[in-house]
Amino acid sequence: MKAHMKQIVVAVFALMLSVSAYAKKENSKETFNGKTLVELSDERRTKPLADHNGDEHLLLFLEREIMRLFEEGNLDKAFTYLTENAMVNPPGVEAIFGRENQKMMFKELLTMEGFELSWEPIQAHVGEGAKMGYVYGLVRWKMPNEKVKLGKYISIYVKKDGKWLNEVEMRNIIAEEK
């Protein structure tokens, strides 16, 4: 029965991911050189979504859920998915340590006119024992009065008390929009 329930959970997550990706592809206005992040991510995927296990699907779902919360401006809820000492490593600046410090930084950024931020996971991997995993994806951002940038990111998650939490986020720049 437990194995059957796990299969159902995996199927539901796969359906949620595909519906979410389709909706984003159809509704996304944010592009990079004419393509949405979903389209760019699909081009880079080397592991089919169907081959991800339940925990991997959950990490992909969490990435999209956090993005949705950012879009709504609900940073308080979004940051509940980070460990207390989480670290983010944006390109070109020093690492920012701590959930509260990151929340303050993003609240400030989101008030800046012309600031844009979105990301799309490509694939996930969960290690043996299901205590640590990562998500790899694409991130698109624009600072006021600058060109749009496209980068890669990796989010490292740890499982604490049965809940996946983001511990480390690293980003870099691939290209600037033409």
PDB file of all heavy atoms in Angstrom, residues 20-53:
ATOM      1  N   SER A  20       1.859  23.359 -14.557  1.00  0.00           N
ATOM      2  CA  SER A  20       2.510  24.620 -14.192  1.00  0.00           C
ATOM      3  C   SER A  20       3.414  25.102 -15.315  1.00  0.00           C
ATOM      4  O   SER A  20       3.404  26.272 -15.666  1.00  0.00           O
ATOM      5  CB  SER A  20       3.320  24.426 -12.907  1.00  0.00           C
ATOM      6  OG  SER A  20       4.089  25.559 -12.652  1.00  0.00           O
ATOM      7  N   ALA A  21       4.212  24.205 -15.873  1.00  0.00           N
ATOM      8  CA  ALA A  21       5.123  24.592 -16.954  1.00  0.00           C
ATOM      9  C   ALA A  21       4.339  25.046 -18.174  1.00  0.00           C
ATOM     10  O   ALA A  21       4.679  26.035 -18.807  1.00  0.00           O
ATOM     11  CB  ALA A  21       6.039  23.420 -17.315  1.00  0.00           C
ATOM     12  N   TYR A  22       3.244  24.349 -18.502  1.00  0.00           N
ATOM     13  CA  TYR A  22       2.439  24.738 -19.657  1.00  0.00           C
ATOM     14  C   TYR A  22       1.832  26.115 -19.441  1.00  0.00           C
ATOM     15  O   TYR A  22       1.879  26.971 -20.316  1.00  0.00           O
ATOM     16  CB  TYR A  22       1.328  23.701 -19.911  1.00  0.00           C
ATOM     17  CG  TYR A  22       0.430  24.087 -21.049  1.00  0.00           C
ATOM     18  CD1 TYR A  22       0.855  23.924 -22.362  1.00  0.00           C
ATOM     19  CD2 TYR A  22      -0.826  24.632 -20.821  1.00  0.00           C
ATOM     20  CE1 TYR A  22       0.046  24.299 -23.419  1.00  0.00           C
ATOM     21  CE2 TYR A  22      -1.635  25.008 -21.867  1.00  0.00           C
ATOM     22  CZ  TYR A  22      -1.201  24.837 -23.169  1.00  0.00           C
ATOM     23  OH  TYR A  22      -2.010  25.218 -24.201  1.00  0.00           O
ATOM     24  N   ALA A  23       1.286  26.337 -18.247  1.00  0.00           N
ATOM     25  CA  ALA A  23       0.670  27.638 -17.946  1.00  0.00           C
ATOM     26  C   ALA A  23       1.710  28.746 -18.031  1.00  0.00           C
ATOM     27  O   ALA A  23       1.451  29.808 -18.587  1.00  0.00           O
ATOM     28  CB  ALA A  23       0.024  27.609 -16.565  1.00  0.00           C
ATOM     29  N   LYS A  24       2.904  28.500 -17.496  1.00  0.00           N
ATOM     30  CA  LYS A  24       3.955  29.519 -17.541  1.00  0.00           C
ATOM     31  C   LYS A  24       4.359  29.792 -18.990  1.00  0.00           C
ATOM     32  O   LYS A  24       4.598  30.925 -19.362  1.00  0.00           O
ATOM     33  CB  LYS A  24       5.174  29.064 -16.743  1.00  0.00           C
ATOM     34  CG  LYS A  24       5.073  29.354 -15.281  1.00  0.00           C
ATOM     35  CD  LYS A  24       6.359  29.008 -14.611  1.00  0.00           C
ATOM     36  CE  LYS A  24       6.935  30.242 -13.999  1.00  0.00           C
ATOM     37  NZ  LYS A  24       8.098  30.007 -13.193  1.00  0.00           N
ATOM     38  N   LYS A  25       4.472  28.741 -19.793  1.00  0.00           N
ATOM     39  CA  LYS A  25       4.887  28.904 -21.185  1.00  0.00           C
ATOM     40  C   LYS A  25       3.854  29.729 -21.945  1.00  0.00           C
ATOM     41  O   LYS A  25       4.195  30.614 -22.713  1.00  0.00           O
ATOM     42  CB  LYS A  25       5.032  27.526 -21.841  1.00  0.00           C
ATOM     43  CG  LYS A  25       5.691  27.560 -23.198  1.00  0.00           C
ATOM     44  CD  LYS A  25       5.802  26.194 -23.812  1.00  0.00           C
ATOM     45  CE  LYS A  25       6.770  25.335 -23.082  1.00  0.00           C
ATOM     46  NZ  LYS A  25       7.040  24.060 -23.721  1.00  0.00           N
ATOM     47  N   GLU A  26       2.570  29.475 -21.687  1.00  0.00           N
ATOM     48  CA  GLU A  26       1.516  30.177 -22.399  1.00  0.00           C
ATOM     49  C   GLU A  26       1.360  31.612 -21.916  1.00  0.00           C
ATOM     50  O   GLU A  26       0.995  32.484 -22.682  1.00  0.00           O
ATOM     51  CB  GLU A  26       0.184  29.429 -22.224  1.00  0.00           C
ATOM     52  CG  GLU A  26       0.170  28.074 -22.912  1.00  0.00           C
ATOM     53  CD  GLU A  26       0.438  28.172 -24.397  1.00  0.00           C
ATOM     54  OE1 GLU A  26      -0.239  28.942 -25.082  1.00  0.00           O
ATOM     55  OE2 GLU A  26       1.336  27.470 -24.884  1.00  0.00           O
ATOM     56  N   ASN A  27       1.622  31.876 -20.635  1.00  0.00           N
ATOM     57  CA  ASN A  27       1.337  33.181 -20.065  1.00  0.00           C
ATOM     58  C   ASN A  27       2.573  34.036 -19.828  1.00  0.00           C
ATOM     59  O   ASN A  27       2.456  35.188 -19.462  1.00  0.00           O
ATOM     60  CB  ASN A  27       0.600  33.007 -18.735  1.00  0.00           C
ATOM     61  CG  ASN A  27      -0.724  32.306 -18.923  1.00  0.00           C
ATOM     62  OD1 ASN A  27      -1.408  32.546 -19.904  1.00  0.00           O
ATOM     63  ND2 ASN A  27      -1.080  31.428 -18.012  1.00  0.00           N
ATOM     64  N   SER A  28       3.755  33.478 -19.999  1.00  0.00           N
ATOM     65  CA  SER A  28       4.962  34.209 -19.642  1.00  0.00           C
ATOM     66  C   SER A  28       5.220  35.369 -20.590  1.00  0.00           C
ATOM     67  O   SER A  28       5.217  35.210 -21.803  1.00  0.00           O
ATOM     68  CB  SER A  28       6.171  33.268 -19.661  1.00  0.00           C
ATOM     69  OG  SER A  28       7.338  34.003 -19.365  1.00  0.00           O
ATOM     70  N   LYS A  29       5.421  36.536 -20.004  1.00  0.00           N
ATOM     71  CA  LYS A  29       5.799  37.706 -20.789  1.00  0.00           C
ATOM     72  C   LYS A  29       7.291  37.941 -20.676  1.00  0.00           C
ATOM     73  O   LYS A  29       7.859  38.696 -21.434  1.00  0.00           O
ATOM     74  CB  LYS A  29       5.028  38.934 -20.291  1.00  0.00           C
ATOM     75  CG  LYS A  29       3.546  38.825 -20.525  1.00  0.00           C
ATOM     76  CD  LYS A  29       2.822  40.007 -19.946  1.00  0.00           C
ATOM     77  CE  LYS A  29       1.330  39.794 -20.085  1.00  0.00           C
ATOM     78  NZ  LYS A  29       0.552  40.568 -19.181  1.00  0.00           N
ATOM     79  N   GLU A  30       7.898  37.295 -19.691  1.00  0.00           N
ATOM     80  CA  GLU A  30       9.326  37.491 -19.461  1.00  0.00           C
ATOM     81  C   GLU A  30      10.105  36.526 -20.340  1.00  0.00           C
ATOM     82  O   GLU A  30      10.002  35.310 -20.182  1.00  0.00           O
ATOM     83  CB  GLU A  30       9.660  37.281 -17.991  1.00  0.00           C
ATOM     84  CG  GLU A  30       9.004  38.320 -17.107  1.00  0.00           C
ATOM     85  CD  GLU A  30       9.346  38.141 -15.654  1.00  0.00           C
ATOM     86  OE1 GLU A  30       9.882  37.088 -15.275  1.00  0.00           O
ATOM     87  OE2 GLU A  30       9.072  39.074 -14.899  1.00  0.00           O
ATOM     88  N   THR A  31      10.860  37.105 -21.252  1.00  0.00           N
ATOM     89  CA  THR A  31      11.631  36.290 -22.176  1.00  0.00           C
ATOM     90  C   THR A  31      13.092  36.710 -22.131  1.00  0.00           C
ATOM     91  O   THR A  31      13.444  37.737 -21.574  1.00  0.00           O
ATOM     92  CB  THR A  31      11.109  36.447 -23.619  1.00  0.00           C
ATOM     93  OG1 THR A  31      11.251  37.815 -23.998  1.00  0.00           O
ATOM     94  CG2 THR A  31       9.663  36.011 -23.735  1.00  0.00           C
ATOM     95  N   PHE A  32      13.908  35.884 -22.736  1.00  0.00           N
ATOM     96  CA  PHE A  32      15.315  36.211 -22.928  1.00  0.00           C
ATOM     97  C   PHE A  32      15.612  35.909 -24.384  1.00  0.00           C
ATOM     98  O   PHE A  32      15.520  34.759 -24.813  1.00  0.00           O
ATOM     99  CB  PHE A  32      16.230  35.395 -22.003  1.00  0.00           C
ATOM    100  CG  PHE A  32      17.663  35.829 -22.098  1.00  0.00           C
ATOM    101  CD1 PHE A  32      18.112  36.927 -21.382  1.00  0.00           C
ATOM    102  CD2 PHE A  32      18.554  35.167 -22.925  1.00  0.00           C
ATOM    103  CE1 PHE A  32      19.424  37.354 -21.476  1.00  0.00           C
ATOM    104  CE2 PHE A  32      19.872  35.581 -23.027  1.00  0.00           C
ATOM    105  CZ  PHE A  32      20.309  36.679 -22.298  1.00  0.00           C
ATOM    106  N   ASN A  33      15.930  36.944 -25.135  1.00  0.00           N
ATOM    107  CA  ASN A  33      16.164  36.825 -26.576  1.00  0.00           C
ATOM    108  C   ASN A  33      15.034  36.062 -27.268  1.00  0.00           C
ATOM    109  O   ASN A  33      15.265  35.196 -28.105  1.00  0.00           O
ATOM    110  CB  ASN A  33      17.527  36.187 -26.857  1.00  0.00           C
ATOM    111  CG  ASN A  33      18.669  37.104 -26.460  1.00  0.00           C
ATOM    112  OD1 ASN A  33      18.520  38.328 -26.430  1.00  0.00           O
ATOM    113  ND2 ASN A  33      19.811  36.530 -26.140  1.00  0.00           N
ATOM    114  N   GLY A  34      13.797  36.368 -26.872  1.00  0.00           N
ATOM    115  CA  GLY A  34      12.626  35.825 -27.550  1.00  0.00           C
ATOM    116  C   GLY A  34      12.105  34.498 -27.049  1.00  0.00           C
ATOM    117  O   GLY A  34      11.113  34.002 -27.567  1.00  0.00           O
ATOM    118  N   LYS A  35      12.731  33.898 -26.047  1.00  0.00           N
ATOM    119  CA  LYS A  35      12.262  32.618 -25.522  1.00  0.00           C
ATOM    120  C   LYS A  35      11.958  32.762 -24.039  1.00  0.00           C
ATOM    121  O   LYS A  35      12.646  33.474 -23.315  1.00  0.00           O
ATOM    122  CB  LYS A  35      13.320  31.522 -25.706  1.00  0.00           C
ATOM    123  CG  LYS A  35      13.540  31.131 -27.149  1.00  0.00           C
ATOM    124  CD  LYS A  35      14.463  29.954 -27.229  1.00  0.00           C
ATOM    125  CE  LYS A  35      14.644  29.542 -28.692  1.00  0.00           C
ATOM    126  NZ  LYS A  35      15.476  28.339 -28.794  1.00  0.00           N
ATOM    127  N   THR A  36      10.920  32.031 -23.583  1.00  0.00           N
ATOM    128  CA  THR A  36      10.599  32.037 -22.159  1.00  0.00           C
ATOM    129  C   THR A  36      11.606  31.165 -21.410  1.00  0.00           C
ATOM    130  O   THR A  36      12.305  30.327 -22.009  1.00  0.00           O
ATOM    131  CB  THR A  36       9.187  31.496 -21.893  1.00  0.00           C
ATOM    132  OG1 THR A  36       9.156  30.100 -22.224  1.00  0.00           O
ATOM    133  CG2 THR A  36       8.133  32.258 -22.687  1.00  0.00           C
ATOM    134  N   LEU A  37      11.645  31.344 -20.096  1.00  0.00           N
ATOM    135  CA  LEU A  37      12.523  30.494 -19.287  1.00  0.00           C
ATOM    136  C   LEU A  37      12.115  29.030 -19.382  1.00  0.00           C
ATOM    137  O   LEU A  37      12.969  28.141 -19.347  1.00  0.00           O
ATOM    138  CB  LEU A  37      12.503  30.933 -17.823  1.00  0.00           C
ATOM    139  CG  LEU A  37      13.336  32.144 -17.469  1.00  0.00           C
ATOM    140  CD1 LEU A  37      13.235  32.442 -15.980  1.00  0.00           C
ATOM    141  CD2 LEU A  37      14.791  31.959 -17.856  1.00  0.00           C
ATOM    142  N   VAL A  38      10.817  28.761 -19.497  1.00  0.00           N
ATOM    143  CA  VAL A  38      10.358  27.376 -19.633  1.00  0.00           C
ATOM    144  C   VAL A  38      10.924  26.770 -20.922  1.00  0.00           C
ATOM    145  O   VAL A  38      11.441  25.655 -20.918  1.00  0.00           O
ATOM    146  CB  VAL A  38       8.820  27.287 -19.609  1.00  0.00           C
ATOM    147  CG1 VAL A  38       8.338  25.878 -19.938  1.00  0.00           C
ATOM    148  CG2 VAL A  38       8.283  27.719 -18.249  1.00  0.00           C
ATOM    149  N   GLU A  39      10.845  27.521 -22.012  1.00  0.00           N
ATOM    150  CA  GLU A  39      11.381  27.017 -23.281  1.00  0.00           C
ATOM    151  C   GLU A  39      12.893  26.807 -23.193  1.00  0.00           C
ATOM    152  O   GLU A  39      13.413  25.773 -23.643  1.00  0.00           O
ATOM    153  CB  GLU A  39      11.055  27.988 -24.415  1.00  0.00           C
ATOM    154  CG  GLU A  39       9.577  28.047 -24.738  1.00  0.00           C
ATOM    155  CD  GLU A  39       9.198  29.204 -25.630  1.00  0.00           C
ATOM    156  OE1 GLU A  39       9.823  30.288 -25.552  1.00  0.00           O
ATOM    157  OE2 GLU A  39       8.239  29.032 -26.423  1.00  0.00           O
ATOM    158  N   LEU A  40      13.600  27.759 -22.620  1.00  0.00           N
ATOM    159  CA  LEU A  40      15.059  27.623 -22.476  1.00  0.00           C
ATOM    160  C   LEU A  40      15.423  26.450 -21.569  1.00  0.00           C
ATOM    161  O   LEU A  40      16.386  25.720 -21.832  1.00  0.00           O
ATOM    162  CB  LEU A  40      15.656  28.923 -21.928  1.00  0.00           C
ATOM    163  CG  LEU A  40      15.591  30.128 -22.872  1.00  0.00           C
ATOM    164  CD1 LEU A  40      15.925  31.414 -22.113  1.00  0.00           C
ATOM    165  CD2 LEU A  40      16.533  29.941 -24.046  1.00  0.00           C
ATOM    166  N   SER A  41      14.641  26.251 -20.515  1.00  0.00           N
ATOM    167  CA  SER A  41      14.897  25.135 -19.596  1.00  0.00           C
ATOM    168  C   SER A  41      14.633  23.797 -20.276  1.00  0.00           C
ATOM    169  O   SER A  41      15.403  22.850 -20.120  1.00  0.00           O
ATOM    170  CB  SER A  41      14.041  25.266 -18.338  1.00  0.00           C
ATOM    171  OG  SER A  41      14.423  26.396 -17.608  1.00  0.00           O
ATOM    172  N   ASP A  42      13.518  23.721 -21.011  1.00  0.00           N
ATOM    173  CA  ASP A  42      13.195  22.481 -21.732  1.00  0.00           C
ATOM    174  C   ASP A  42      14.326  22.085 -22.678  1.00  0.00           C
ATOM    175  O   ASP A  42      14.642  20.901 -22.816  1.00  0.00           O
ATOM    176  CB  ASP A  42      11.890  22.628 -22.519  1.00  0.00           C
ATOM    177  CG  ASP A  42      10.657  22.626 -21.627  1.00  0.00           C
ATOM    178  OD1 ASP A  42      10.762  22.273 -20.433  1.00  0.00           O
ATOM    179  OD2 ASP A  42       9.582  23.020 -22.127  1.00  0.00           O
ATOM    180  N   GLU A  43      14.955  23.068 -23.320  1.00  0.00           N
ATOM    181  CA  GLU A  43      16.057  22.792 -24.254  1.00  0.00           C
ATOM    182  C   GLU A  43      17.272  22.204 -23.536  1.00  0.00           C
ATOM    183  O   GLU A  43      18.069  21.498 -24.144  1.00  0.00           O
ATOM    184  CB  GLU A  43      16.494  24.082 -24.954  1.00  0.00           C
ATOM    185  CG  GLU A  43      15.483  24.633 -25.925  1.00  0.00           C
ATOM    186  CD  GLU A  43      15.871  26.018 -26.443  1.00  0.00           C
ATOM    187  OE1 GLU A  43      16.921  26.566 -26.027  1.00  0.00           O
ATOM    188  OE2 GLU A  43      15.110  26.556 -27.276  1.00  0.00           O
ATOM    189  N   ARG A  44      17.433  22.510 -22.263  1.00  0.00           N
ATOM    190  CA  ARG A  44      18.626  22.100 -21.514  1.00  0.00           C
ATOM    191  C   ARG A  44      18.423  20.832 -20.679  1.00  0.00           C
ATOM    192  O   ARG A  44      19.365  20.303 -20.131  1.00  0.00           O
ATOM    193  CB  ARG A  44      19.072  23.247 -20.599  1.00  0.00           C
ATOM    194  CG  ARG A  44      19.651  24.417 -21.370  1.00  0.00           C
ATOM    195  CD  ARG A  44      19.695  25.671 -20.509  1.00  0.00           C
ATOM    196  NE  ARG A  44      20.475  26.734 -21.127  1.00  0.00           N
ATOM    197  CZ  ARG A  44      20.037  27.535 -22.080  1.00  0.00           C
ATOM    198  NH1 ARG A  44      18.807  27.392 -22.552  1.00  0.00           N
ATOM    199  NH2 ARG A  44      20.810  28.479 -22.577  1.00  0.00           N
ATOM    200  N   ARG A  45      17.201  20.369 -20.565  1.00  0.00           N
ATOM    201  CA  ARG A  45      16.904  19.220 -19.706  1.00  0.00           C
ATOM    202  C   ARG A  45      17.546  17.959 -20.268  1.00  0.00           C
ATOM    203  O   ARG A  45      17.355  17.616 -21.419  1.00  0.00           O
ATOM    204  CB  ARG A  45      15.389  19.065 -19.576  1.00  0.00           C
ATOM    205  CG  ARG A  45      14.982  18.022 -18.551  1.00  0.00           C
ATOM    206  CD  ARG A  45      13.493  18.076 -18.213  1.00  0.00           C
ATOM    207  NE  ARG A  45      13.227  19.282 -17.423  1.00  0.00           N
ATOM    208  CZ  ARG A  45      12.460  20.285 -17.837  1.00  0.00           C
ATOM    209  NH1 ARG A  45      11.872  20.231 -19.006  1.00  0.00           N
ATOM    210  NH2 ARG A  45      12.283  21.341 -17.086  1.00  0.00           N
ATOM    211  N   THR A  46      18.329  17.275 -19.439  1.00  0.00           N
ATOM    212  CA  THR A  46      18.963  16.023 -19.857  1.00  0.00           C
ATOM    213  C   THR A  46      18.311  14.812 -19.197  1.00  0.00           C
ATOM    214  O   THR A  46      18.535  13.692 -19.622  1.00  0.00           O
ATOM    215  CB  THR A  46      20.466  16.020 -19.512  1.00  0.00           C
ATOM    216  OG1 THR A  46      20.626  16.179 -18.109  1.00  0.00           O
ATOM    217  CG2 THR A  46      21.203  17.125 -20.259  1.00  0.00           C
ATOM    218  N   LYS A  47      17.528  15.045 -18.163  1.00  0.00           N
ATOM    219  CA  LYS A  47      16.821  13.974 -17.455  1.00  0.00           C
ATOM    220  C   LYS A  47      15.325  14.237 -17.603  1.00  0.00           C
ATOM    221  O   LYS A  47      14.828  15.248 -17.096  1.00  0.00           O
ATOM    222  CB  LYS A  47      17.225  13.975 -15.973  1.00  0.00           C
ATOM    223  CG  LYS A  47      16.555  12.929 -15.129  1.00  0.00           C
ATOM    224  CD  LYS A  47      17.065  13.037 -13.686  1.00  0.00           C
ATOM    225  CE  LYS A  47      16.416  12.039 -12.774  1.00  0.00           C
ATOM    226  NZ  LYS A  47      16.926  12.154 -11.399  1.00  0.00           N
ATOM    227  N   PRO A  48      14.608  13.363 -18.304  1.00  0.00           N
ATOM    228  CA  PRO A  48      13.171  13.590 -18.482  1.00  0.00           C
ATOM    229  C   PRO A  48      12.455  13.729 -17.132  1.00  0.00           C
ATOM    230  O   PRO A  48      12.828  13.065 -16.155  1.00  0.00           O
ATOM    231  CB  PRO A  48      12.695  12.341 -19.225  1.00  0.00           C
ATOM    232  CG  PRO A  48      13.919  11.767 -19.847  1.00  0.00           C
ATOM    233  CD  PRO A  48      15.055  12.126 -18.938  1.00  0.00           C
ATOM    234  N   LEU A  49      11.449  14.581 -17.076  1.00  0.00           N
ATOM    235  CA  LEU A  49      10.704  14.763 -15.833  1.00  0.00           C
ATOM    236  C   LEU A  49      10.133  13.447 -15.316  1.00  0.00           C
ATOM    237  O   LEU A  49      10.066  13.219 -14.113  1.00  0.00           O
ATOM    238  CB  LEU A  49       9.591  15.791 -16.026  1.00  0.00           C
ATOM    239  CG  LEU A  49      10.037  17.236 -16.178  1.00  0.00           C
ATOM    240  CD1 LEU A  49       8.848  18.130 -16.498  1.00  0.00           C
ATOM    241  CD2 LEU A  49      10.764  17.726 -14.946  1.00  0.00           C
ATOM    242  N   ALA A  50       9.758  12.557 -16.223  1.00  0.00           N
ATOM    243  CA  ALA A  50       9.198  11.266 -15.825  1.00  0.00           C
ATOM    244  C   ALA A  50      10.214  10.413 -15.061  1.00  0.00           C
ATOM    245  O   ALA A  50       9.832   9.508 -14.329  1.00  0.00           O
ATOM    246  CB  ALA A  50       8.693  10.512 -17.046  1.00  0.00           C
ATOM    247  N   ASP A  51      11.508  10.684 -15.235  1.00  0.00           N
ATOM    248  CA  ASP A  51      12.556   9.905 -14.567  1.00  0.00           C
ATOM    249  C   ASP A  51      12.913  10.444 -13.182  1.00  0.00           C
ATOM    250  O   ASP A  51      13.738   9.858 -12.490  1.00  0.00           O
ATOM    251  CB  ASP A  51      13.824   9.861 -15.427  1.00  0.00           C
ATOM    252  CG  ASP A  51      13.634   9.031 -16.685  1.00  0.00           C
ATOM    253  OD1 ASP A  51      12.600   8.335 -16.802  1.00  0.00           O
ATOM    254  OD2 ASP A  51      14.519   9.093 -17.556  1.00  0.00           O
ATOM    255  N   HIS A  52      12.331  11.556 -12.777  1.00  0.00           N
ATOM    256  CA  HIS A  52      12.575  12.092 -11.439  1.00  0.00           C
ATOM    257  C   HIS A  52      11.750  11.301 -10.423  1.00  0.00           C
ATOM    258  O   HIS A  52      10.616  10.920 -10.698  1.00  0.00           O
ATOM    259  CB  HIS A  52      12.181  13.574 -11.368  1.00  0.00           C
ATOM    260  CG  HIS A  52      13.141  14.486 -12.047  1.00  0.00           C
ATOM    261  ND1 HIS A  52      13.219  14.601 -13.413  1.00  0.00           N
ATOM    262  CD2 HIS A  52      14.059  15.338 -11.543  1.00  0.00           C
ATOM    263  CE1 HIS A  52      14.146  15.492 -13.724  1.00  0.00           C
ATOM    264  NE2 HIS A  52      14.668  15.955 -12.604  1.00  0.00           N
ATOM    265  N   ASN A  53      12.327  11.065  -9.230  1.00  0.00           N
ATOM    266  CA  ASN A  53      11.573  10.364  -8.191  1.00  0.00           C
ATOM    267  C   ASN A  53      10.689  11.347  -7.425  1.00  0.00           C
ATOM    268  O   ASN A  53      10.682  12.547  -7.701  1.00  0.00           O
ATOM    269  CB  ASN A  53      12.518   9.577  -7.267  1.00  0.00           C
ATOM    270  CG  ASN A  53      13.419  10.469  -6.439  1.00  0.00           C
ATOM    271  OD1 ASN A  53      13.034  11.547  -5.979  1.00  0.00           O
ATOM    272  ND2 ASN A  53      14.647  10.017  -6.219  1.00  0.00           N
TER     273      ASN A  53
END
